[in-house]
Amino acid sequence: MKKNMPVENKPSRRIAVAGLLALPFATAAAAAETPGSDEELLKVREAVWRDWFGGNRKALMEILPPDFVGIGAGDGPFRSRDETIADSAGFVAAGDKLTDLRFNDNRIQKLGNVRIIYCGFSFTTSDKAGGSRTTAGRCTEVFTHSGGKWLHPGWHLDSGR
């Protein structure tokens, strides 16, 4: 009696060609999840700052994830998302306004879908009495790209001294 030998598992030419034809589609799908340009990221970063100074709770809730950590330039405690948004609301409620915002020496480190921005910053605010104050320093900001949008899970500001 003749024993049946197992059939070798070799891909056929048809499967190989189909795989090659599918490659551009797989590449396009991966590219769709790739974060945008540095310029796009810098615009998103500036919008976050303006949203904070403008008391835009809705925008901040969308970009700051629940596990957000913010470290200010002073010696105060680390801030959660809720505390950071409350700080923003307090700034606006006090009648304070942003009058100037600048960033310099932007350096972006790219790690997969994570971007870390290192830069210098300065901003000027005015209060309801007409006084103004300029604050400057350095910052490190973390952004992640997920679901086609940027999230901002943390920042660290310092005085640069």
Side-chain angles (χ1 to χ4, degrees):
M1 175 152 68
K2 189 172 182 184
K3 194 173 188 186
N4 289 335
M5 299 297 288
V7 178
E8 285 188 43
N9 188 5
K10 290 184 179 177
S12 70
R13 183 182 302 249
R14 194 176 299 163
I15 292 172
V17 170
L20 288 173
L21 291 174
L23 188 59
F25 295 109
T27 303
E33 276 302 311
T34 301
S37 68
D38 291 353
E39 293 78 23
E40 173 194 338
L41 177 61
L42 293 174
K43 285 179 186 178
V44 168
R45 185 271 308 271
E46 183 166 340
V48 173
W49 282 64
R50 292 189 182 280
D51 288 337
W52 189 94
F53 283 110
N56 189 342
R57 176 182 172 77
K58 181 180 182 218
L60 293 171
M61 289 293 290
E62 288 178 12
I63 197 163
L64 303 180
D67 61 348
F68 169 84
V69 176
I71 303 172
D75 58 359
F78 294 5
R79 307 301 280 169
S80 68
R81 175 172 77 168
D82 291 341
E83 292 166 328
T84 297
I85 292 173
D87 293 344
S88 167
F91 176 83
V92 172
D96 295 336
K97 296 185 189 291
L98 177 69
T99 59
D100 188 48
L101 175 62
R102 297 173 193 255
F103 299 100
N104 62 62
D105 197 18
N106 291 299
R107 297 178 188 207
I108 300 174
Q109 191 174 37
K110 300 175 182 181
L111 306 165
N113 283 351
V114 174
R115 298 293 182 269
I116 304 170
I117 302 174
Y118 305 91
C119 70
F121 69 88
S122 70
F123 59 84
T124 303
T125 58
S126 64
D127 59 29
K128 61 184 173 185
S132 71
R133 178 179 171 194
T134 299
T135 302
R138 301 177 301 184
C139 68
T140 302
E141 297 184 83
V142 179
F143 289 85
T144 61
H145 197 265
S146 178
K149 67 178 188 173
W150 288 107
L151 296 176
H152 194 357
W155 63 59
H156 183 175
L157 309 178
D158 72 36
S159 66
R161 294 183 213 156

